[in-house]
Amino acid sequence: FVGGWAGITGKLPLPAWIAGVSSAAGFMLIVPLGVVHWNVYRTVSTALPVVTQSVAGKFLLVGLFGYSVWSVLEIASGFVGVGNTLQFTHFVTAQNYLFLYGFVGMTLIGASCVILPRLTGENCQSNGLSLVFVTLFGGVVIAFCGTAFAGLRQGFDLEEGGRSFLASVKAAQGMLTLGTFGTLILLASSCLFLFGCC
């Protein structure tokens, strides 16, 4: 019920009250985020040292952290001032990197490290998975930070007024290079997982 109202900013051609309701609904998304954390804590609290020592557990915990950061950014972007500044910038791409690779990618690889050995009877190679974890984590951090800083720069340049959209994109090109480098690291980690660990 709440999630359907979230994410509507004031720059859309809708009545102003819809953006206000959307901001309140976005703030209410803190409740499901807290419930997810409580469920995970109650599930793994007794075996937390075992979970943090396994490679699959590291994937899953980092995936949970990625989901948490992405949720907080989604809640923050639902507020009118933040949403108006960051809408139509590279910051949205940074959030997609964080969601797809930091949450979904990490979680799926961690789950496959638990499920595939049970189905095939073969253990995952821990050395190869450690390298996949390091490259995937590094790629997510570099791609997210580079693209997010480019989006912030672009959004603040557009907020100042007097600058065209193309000028704001050119001002963010340096940070986009860092984001592209992070994307290449993500590609390398995907190839490592596909060809080296399966």
Side-chain angles (χ1 to χ4, degrees):
F1 175 75
V2 174
W5 280 95
I8 302 170
T9 61
K11 285 190 176 179
L12 296 175
L14 297 169
W17 67 268
I18 293 178
V21 170
S22 176
S23 295
F27 186 73
M28 292 293 292
L29 290 176
I30 290 176
V31 174
L33 178 62
V35 169
V36 167
H37 278 274
W38 179 251
N39 282 333
V40 170
Y41 171 74
R42 295 291 293 167
T43 302
V44 300
S45 62
T46 58
L48 192 59
V50 175
V51 172
T52 56
Q53 290 174 358
S54 71
V55 179
K58 291 178 184 176
F59 275 108
L60 295 172
L61 289 178
V62 170
L64 176 65
F65 180 74
Y67 170 72
S68 303
V69 173
W70 175 81
S71 295
V72 169
L73 291 175
E74 281 292 312
I75 292 168
S77 65
F79 292 110
V80 176
V82 177
N84 288 345
T85 301
L86 299 178
Q87 188 180 16
F88 307 122
T89 66
H90 292 292
F91 196 83
V92 177
T93 306
Q95 287 179 289
N96 290 337
Y97 278 131
L98 185 62
F99 182 76
L100 291 176
Y101 291 100
F103 168 54
V104 175
M106 286 281 189
T107 306
L108 287 179
I109 291 175
S112 68
C113 293
V114 175
I115 296 169
L116 287 177
R118 293 180 183 182
L119 292 176
T120 62
E122 297 179 7
N123 289 331
C124 288
Q125 301 170 2
S126 61
N127 291 338
L129 280 177
S130 297
L131 184 60
V132 170
F133 175 76
V134 169
T135 54
L136 184 60
F137 182 72
V140 168
V141 169
I142 293 171
F144 171 73
C145 290
T147 315
F149 286 133
L152 288 171
R153 172 76 187 268
Q154 187 181 8
F156 290 138
D157 283 355
L158 288 173
E159 281 291 311
E160 287 177 6
R163 298 194 72 173
S164 67
F165 183 76
L166 186 59
S168 70
V169 171
K170 287 183 179 178
Q173 279 182 344
M175 297 309 290
L176 283 178
T177 305
L178 183 64
T180 304
F181 179 67
T183 306
L184 292 175
I185 296 174
L186 289 173
L187 176 64
S189 70
S190 300
C191 291
L192 279 172
F193 178 70
L194 182 63
F195 296 113
C197 297
C198 288

